[in-house]
Amino acid sequence: MELRQIKYFIEVAKREHVTDAAHALHVAQSAVSRQIFNLEAELGVDLFIREGRTVKLTPIGRIFLEHMEQAIHVIDDATQVIEEYTDPERGTIHIGFPTSMATYILPTAISAFRERYPHVKFQLHQGSYNELKEAVVKGIVNMALLGPVPMNEKKLHGTILFTEKIVALLPANHPKAIASTVYLNDLREDGFVLFPEGFVLRDIIINGCQQIGFQPKISFEGEDIDAIKGLVSAGLGISLVPEITLVDCLPRATVKKQIIEPSISRTVGVIIPKERQLLPTERLFYTFLKEFFTRLEEFQY
């Protein structure tokens, strides 16, 4: 089995089309077909169901793809380790993040890190909570920022960097807009603007409401934090959002209010794989993150 065959196989599996894969690989279509045929012959199984030049993975092909993707990530990591060995301050960091950390947490950390290590490069991977956990397990990235931090995962190690409050974001004409704080129960008749199902922030908010005996009425859903803030700004509902997402900019025609009874919060931190070591440059950043947010919390208090 050759590395070239594996790369051709992954590209064809991803595109489900031999000609498209050949174009992406900048090789002849016949070369891709020949290498896939040789790979199947060596393995003694059919990896694809063929319909002309359109293909779909067989069940065993899907299993093989999962293992080969992990193998390629291991090979890429090994190559990068060699490149970074002599100078980890010039390597590349692959890190995942959710939308709620895109505007303040990640940019602040990267900016501070690059003041110390200006030649380090970053490759960023945005995704949902579960997508990012899977990406770290599979080796697509070796670390990801998440909130809340998963602490009991079999293949992941979680480190809490800080805990942040979830606050109410209200339209400026809301009856509670002039109050210094709001009880969560005061919002039970409002329409909520939340993330769609499958987003962990949605679950945190719904669980908080259920704690005091009501199911929030969802008026609108937004795919990212900016969409949610925009919908609240337009007066289409209220929302509960991580306080740090409002640090740089409070949307026009909105107010931020601390929530009491119950107070809602989430842990924020970083996950890394238990079964793989971080690359040298990634170890630098991982250590930096823990030190940076410890100092930040001490400064705030």
Side-chain angles (χ1 to χ4, degrees):
M1 189 185 306
E2 300 177 7
L3 181 59
R4 176 177 55 176
Q5 292 174 332
I6 296 171
K7 289 184 175 181
Y8 286 10
F9 163 73
I10 291 174
E11 195 67 33
V12 173
K14 181 172 65 176
R15 297 180 182 275
E16 296 188 336
H17 198 281
V18 176
T19 303
D20 289 350
H23 288 160
L25 293 163
H26 305 293
V27 297
Q29 179 267 325
S30 58
V32 174
S33 297
R34 184 171 58 255
Q35 291 301 329
I36 296 297
F37 175 81
N38 291 342
L39 179 60
E40 290 180 317
E42 180 179 345
L43 294 172
V45 296
D46 289 331
L47 298 173
F48 294 103
I49 300 169
R50 290 164 174 79
E51 300 172 357
R53 289 180 181 171
T54 300
V55 297
K56 291 189 180 297
L57 287 168
T58 62
I60 192 63
R62 286 194 293 272
I63 295 171
F64 187 68
L65 174 64
E66 183 177 344
H67 287 282
M68 288 303 99
E69 285 180 326
Q70 293 184 35
I72 286 294
H73 291 311
V74 170
I75 292 169
D76 289 343
D77 282 355
T79 303
Q80 193 170 330
V81 166
I82 293 170
E83 292 173 352
E84 294 177 12
Y85 184 77
T86 56
D87 190 359
E89 295 182 15
R90 292 180 178 271
T92 300
I93 295 167
H94 302 260
I95 185 167
F97 65 99
T99 179
S100 63
M101 300 186 195
T103 56
Y104 181 79
I105 296 174
L106 185 60
T108 300
I110 289 177
S111 177
F113 182 77
R114 293 196 70 188
E115 287 182 9
R116 189 182 301 181
Y117 305 106
H119 302 295
V120 168
K121 299 177 287 295
F122 283 83
Q123 288 194 3
L124 307 180
H125 178 93
Q126 185 170 335
S128 68
Y129 188 83
N130 290 321
E131 288 171 347
L132 292 172
K133 289 199 300 181
E134 185 177 0
V136 174
V137 169
K138 289 186 173 182
I140 298 170
V141 294
N142 278 334
M143 65 172 68
L145 293 173
L146 279 185
V149 184
M151 300 300 291
N152 298 304
E153 298 281 338
K154 182 178 179 181
K155 296 185 177 182
L156 297 172
H157 175 74
T159 298
I160 296 173
L161 299 174
F162 62 93
T163 301
E164 69 170 332
K165 293 178 180 178
I166 305 295
V167 299
L169 184 66
L170 312 177
N173 61 356
H174 191 277
K176 293 294 180 180
I178 59 174
S180 56
T181 57
V182 297
Y183 292 90
L184 185 56
N185 195 53
D186 294 335
L187 306 176
R188 67 187 304 147
E189 299 303 324
D190 285 282
F192 280 66
V193 181
L194 300 180
F195 282 101
E197 289 186 8
F199 283 73
V200 71
L201 267 176
R202 176 191 178 104
D203 296 335
I204 291 173
I205 294 165
I206 290 177
N207 289 340
C209 296
Q210 290 174 340
Q211 282 182 37
I212 57 171
F214 76 94
Q215 184 74 20
K217 295 179 291 187
I218 300 170
S219 55
F220 290 94
E221 295 178 342
E223 290 282 347
D224 58 59
I225 200 71
D226 288 331
I228 287 174
K229 291 191 286 188
L231 291 166
V232 175
S233 177
L236 299 177
I238 64 102
S239 191
L240 308 186
V241 299
E243 187 169 25
I244 210 158
T245 64
L246 303 174
V247 167
D248 288 335
C249 180
L250 189 67
R252 66 171 184 82
T254 66
V255 294
K256 177 187 78 172
K257 297 296 173 183
Q258 299 292 332
I259 302 169
I260 53 176
E261 294 187 13
S263 176
I264 304 175
S265 63
R266 70 168 181 174
T267 58
V268 174
V270 60
I271 58 171
I272 61 174
K274 284 184 178 178
E275 300 174 350
R276 300 188 312 276
Q277 291 188 346
L278 295 179
L279 300 172
T281 307
E282 291 170 337
R283 283 200 300 272
L284 275 180
F285 188 57
Y286 179 64
T287 301
F288 172 84
L289 284 174
K290 293 187 286 185
E291 296 172 352
F292 178 71
F293 283 102
T294 297
R295 292 199 309 271
L296 205 61
E297 280 206 302
E298 289 173 351
F299 176 77
Q300 289 175 341
Y301 292 102

